[in-house]
Amino acid sequence: MPRIVLQPSFSTSHTVRLAKRARGITYPDWDLVAKNLNNLAKKGVTSTEKRSLSHAEKRSLTKAEKRAWKQQTVSHDSVEPREPQELAELEDTPLPSSTPQPTDASQPTDASHPTDASHPTDASQPTETLGPTEILKPSEFGHLDQILDTESTEPTEASKLPPSTKVAKPLKNLERYTEIPEPIESIEIVRHTGSKLVRKTEESQQLTTKSESPEPQDRVSCLQRKRQGSTPKKKRVQWSSQNEIRTISCVKSKTSSSTGTLSLDLSRVGSNTRSLTRIQIAASLSGNIPLLPPPTVGCSTADVLVGQRTVGSGRAMSAERVEQNSGLSVKEGACGSIKDTSSSRSLQERKSKRGSANANPSSLLLSSSKTAHDRTKSSRLGNQGSGAGSESNPITFKDEDEKAEKPVWQQGANGEALKQVLLEVEKGFAIAKSILAIVKVWLTITTTDVSLVVPTGQDFNAQCSLHDVMSLRKRRYLNDNAVDTLIALELQGHQRASHVHIINASDQFLMLNMKDEHADRIKQWFEKYQAWVKNSQITTIVAVINVDQTHWYAIKWDQSNMITVYDSLKGSNSPREEVTRLCNLIKTGAYNTPWGKLDANPRFEPSPVPQQSRFSNDCGIHTAMTVAQLAVDPISLIEPRDPSIRQQSAEKLCRALQEIQRTQEKDPDETSDEEFIAKLRNLIDGSNPATAKEMKLSVGKNKEKKKKGKGEKKKKKAKEKKEKKKQ
Amino acid sequence: MSNDASPNHMPPPADAPLLGHINIKLTDNNNELFFKVKPTTPFGKVMETFCKRQGKDLKSVRFLFEGQRIRKEDTCETLDVQDGDAIEVHQEQLGGT
């Protein structure tokens, strides 16, 4: 065999190959290989036949012949060491059984496994051969490439081969496709041979076997999983793992019917409605929508397809199908209207469509009055111009605005009204070619208007809404409302110490703007709003401190000017600027009390507190628990807490909200006046904490209604009495 | 004797201040918005408009009048807001580390 010397003017791939060749790697006689290939092709021998032939022949070969054959395959592999799989295909080239090459007998080969000869053994170890040195010309390289090209570009040769032989090893280029378990009609394989890019289309069923295709991952959408066995498609989309949370509003049946109707208002999903194709709802669609703590998400799932460019099917799901599958009530034609936005329509057509109120492209089951209301409102605000809101041109609300009723939601099929439900939406974007996007509605909690008001006595009334409950999700930062509500809930049913005053998280806003130079205003404000200052019994102040929007901790300040710090985060060093600021504020405002006479430099002392777990972000919950405990008994040691304290607190809050929801859904007239009075007595006496709690929760909302009801009843009774008297 | 041209029967000029309206200022230390509202107008409407104008989320904002939290159902009447009073707007406080 001739030795090959590197020709410097070749491409990099060639140089790599040639560098190996220059090290003395031997090569088979390529002319002979090409001849054998042609002969086999003429005979019409398939690769299995070739393989069986080769096996039969291999068995009959002597050891020396096997070694020679093996060496030849090794040298054959060394031509393309970077892509051995391709050579698995090329291995269909004839075996040199008819013309065994003379080889070095000392070459270590494994003759016991002749079938392994198809795989490269160790191509990196060159076999040393001696021969005359010869410069290989570019044309001869072209000849080598030609062989590869004919292999790859001739589909007739490849298509004749049965799948079992072709799936010896998957091609490297297929790795990115193997995530998708479903059958694929065609895959474009890009093979790099030298400086050329050769493309080849092969049947994927031959290329992806069951053993090679991995299990469907989570990021592969459910829709794709559903389509296993359905009509194959050509385009594959890789989903990004990055998701962003979006919020849309949603509608639910107002009356407590057994089959709750749920529909979506997509008008606020975002400007990128073109890419909106699919909505997945995780909610209990029957009966009351339960209040679930955030980690436990989803009762039943339902898919809503919107838009033309859905994965695979290419058409929107009809409203009937959506209703059948998910139990959702969908306005007829609403899906199609989204489809229209995604299709390439002319602007004029879109405008004309937008003009009609019923064909609102981005709303499902949203009544036209709502959209019209929004539109008029936005136009009205827009008409005010950019100058509106200045001192010379203040924003005014016209009488229409005040008289205008709230947007009327379309009634359900049974005549029931619909009410709003807030859903948290997780939106994932398809990166590949930006064709698709998935909106996952994965959390359903409660109505928007429900807010929990927990009175805690004279100090504060904590108010908590859905947004605040959401801050109790795992590893989220707690906001001020959530902390206050947790304190209030913890205090429910406990007798508070009379000498303790609580400065809650909401009071921290006061410190943001009040400065020392405004002493007069601070004094006035204290006189007006902080009645506790005049109470001489108050000897201890327990306060919630926020540090730069990142951390919560509690302090206890007594009249000995000792500040005890309760910080659940070890090593935070409990920044004292906020505390000294608060103390100065109180000293300024309560100048007449013993608090105003304390020294300017209080003593700080850390107290042992149960520590929060790492990266749990539970400092808000620990702070709330600590404050509640100190409000009951300021001398007590803080007890150790359960690690699942966040979940417990979330459940507690959700239960309280659920109670409100139930009481709101009940007709206030259902409870008689006697019951109401009895409950009120219980509330005033505090004898029954459970009923008192119920009342506290319900009274705030239904008080006005009940008052109205009472007034009407009294009037009726008076009328009846008058009539009787007349009679 | 009727005197239609008397000044008592003249219609009020367009620029005249609306009777019973209160001018309030909403400020978040960076921006200021002025509103002219009725004493019975619920603050929820003012809040929504402010947030819409400033591009803020209503849930993540706290409205305070003299250090007291304002609710949506509160009005100028109930809070004793007078002409020219300012309402502070603060971002919600968070903490978790």
Side-chain angles (χ1 to χ4, degrees), chain A residues 174-238:
Chain A
L174 277 178
E175 284 177 4
R176 58 187 170 137
Y177 296 105
T178 53
E179 289 177 356
I180 300 144
E182 62 208 67
I184 306 158
E185 190 181 37
S186 64
I187 289 178
E188 192 179 61
I189 301 165
V190 180
R191 183 182 292 173
H192 186 77
T193 56
S195 60
K196 293 179 182 177
L197 279 175
V198 183
R199 297 189 173 192
K200 183 182 177 182
T201 303
E202 297 181 28
E203 289 182 11
S204 67
Q205 288 180 350
Q206 297 174 354
L207 294 169
T208 56
T209 57
K210 283 182 181 177
S211 59
E212 288 159 5
S213 60
E215 290 182 359
Q217 296 179 5
D218 289 338
R219 61 179 178 161
V220 179
S221 65
C222 300
L223 196 69
Q224 285 181 334
R225 275 178 235 158
K226 279 181 186 174
R227 289 214 179 93
Q228 284 185 1
S230 62
T231 53
K233 52 195 182 63
K234 291 183 181 179
K235 287 183 179 178
R236 301 285 96 193
V237 178
Q238 298 218 344

Side-chain angles (χ1 to χ4, degrees), chain B residues 64-82:
Chain B
L64 303 175
F65 174 63
E66 295 185 342
Q68 300 296 307
R69 185 77 67 84
I70 301 175
R71 294 179 191 175
K72 283 183 182 178
E73 56 269 18
D74 288 335
T75 60
C76 293
E77 215 168 23
T78 57
L79 293 177
D80 197 18
V81 177
Q82 293 172 358

Side-chain angles (χ1 to χ4, degrees), chain A residues 13 15 61 116 146 149 168 207 256 266 282 366 378 416 420 439 462 496 606 706 724:
Chain A
S13 59
T15 53
L61 285 175
D116 291 340
Q146 203 179 348
D149 287 354
L207 294 169
S256 58
L266 302 176
L366 189 66
S378 60
E416 71 268 16
Q420 284 183 313
V439 178
R496 279 183 56 184
K706 284 174 181 174
K724 282 178 182 178

Side-chain angles (χ1 to χ4, degrees), chain A residues 390-546:
Chain A
S390 62
E391 194 166 4
S392 58
N393 185 16
I395 296 169
T396 56
F397 297 101
K398 292 179 182 176
D399 292 339
E400 293 173 12
D401 289 337
E402 292 177 1
K403 286 175 185 174
E405 293 177 358
K406 286 182 180 177
V408 180
W409 300 88
Q410 187 170 338
Q411 289 191 340
N414 300 325
E416 71 268 16
L418 303 172
K419 71 177 175 185
Q420 284 183 313
V421 173
L422 200 72
L423 297 176
E424 188 97 339
V425 178
E426 188 177 355
K427 189 172 183 178
F429 288 99
I431 301 300
K433 297 179 184 177
S434 67
I435 297 170
L436 302 167
I438 282 185
V439 178
K440 289 179 183 176
V441 183
W442 65 281
L443 185 65
T444 311
I445 291 206
T446 180
T447 54
T448 49
D449 293 328
V450 168
S451 60
L452 175 68
V453 183
V454 189
T456 58
Q458 58 184 355
D459 292 335
F460 65 96
N461 292 340
Q463 189 169 5
C464 186
S465 65
L466 175 66
H467 172 74
D468 308 317
V469 178
M470 299 295 270
S471 71
L472 279 167
R473 277 198 269 178
K474 261 188 181 178
R475 296 177 183 174
R476 291 233 177 166
Y477 282 20
L478 260 73
N479 70 358
D480 45 1
N481 278 355
V483 172
D484 285 350
T485 313
L486 283 180
I487 294 170
L489 281 176
E490 278 297 307
L491 286 174
Q492 290 285 335
H494 290 93
Q495 186 70 34
R496 279 183 56 184
S498 58
H499 63 284
V500 178
H501 173 70
I502 298 174
I503 294 177
N504 63 349
S506 298
D507 286 340
Q508 303 299 310
F509 296 109
L510 181 70
M511 302 189 322
L512 295 172
N513 274 353
M514 289 207 172
K515 294 171 187 174
D516 293 338
E517 57 258 31
H518 304 140
D520 294 337
R521 284 176 61 188
I522 293 169
K523 285 172 189 172
Q524 284 175 9
W525 184 82
F526 263 84
E527 282 174 9
K528 192 173 180 182
Y529 293 107
Q530 301 290 316
W532 63 272
V533 176
K534 293 168 188 173
N535 188 356
S536 58
Q537 281 187 352
I538 300 289
T539 54
T540 307
I541 292 172
V542 178
V544 180
I545 305 292
N546 182 264

Side-chain angles (χ1 to χ4, degrees), chain A residues 377 381 384 388-391 394-397 399 401-402 422 461 463 467-468 477-481 505-506 508-509 512-513 525 528-529 546 549-552 569 612 617-619, chain B residues 18 21 23 29 32-38 40-41 45-46 48-49 52-53 57 59-60 62 64-69 71-73 79-80 88 90-97:
Chain A
K377 196 172 182 179
L381 286 170
Q384 287 180 345
S390 62
E391 194 166 4
I395 296 169
T396 56
F397 297 101
D399 292 339
D401 289 337
E402 292 177 1
L422 200 72
N461 292 340
Q463 189 169 5
H467 172 74
D468 308 317
Y477 282 20
L478 260 73
N479 70 358
D480 45 1
N481 278 355
S506 298
Q508 303 299 310
F509 296 109
L512 295 172
N513 274 353
W525 184 82
K528 192 173 180 182
Y529 293 107
N546 182 264
Q549 297 271 12
T550 53
H551 184 50
W552 294 107
L569 185 67
Q612 65 191 75
N617 300 337
D618 285 346
C619 67
Chain B
L18 295 169
H21 278 67
N23 289 300
N29 291 330
E32 286 182 349
L33 264 186
F34 290 86
F35 289 85
K36 187 178 275 187
V37 293
K38 281 184 181 177
T40 53
T41 303
K45 201 171 284 181
V46 180
E48 281 177 11
T49 310
K52 209 170 187 177
R53 283 295 181 105
D57 187 8
K59 298 162 199 164
S60 64
R62 308 280 182 261
L64 303 175
F65 174 63
E66 295 185 342
Q68 300 296 307
R69 185 77 67 84
R71 294 179 191 175
K72 283 183 182 178
E73 56 269 18
L79 293 177
D80 197 18
E88 296 160 12
H90 294 285
Q91 198 68 25
E92 68 174 343
Q93 288 198 315
L94 294 167
T97 50

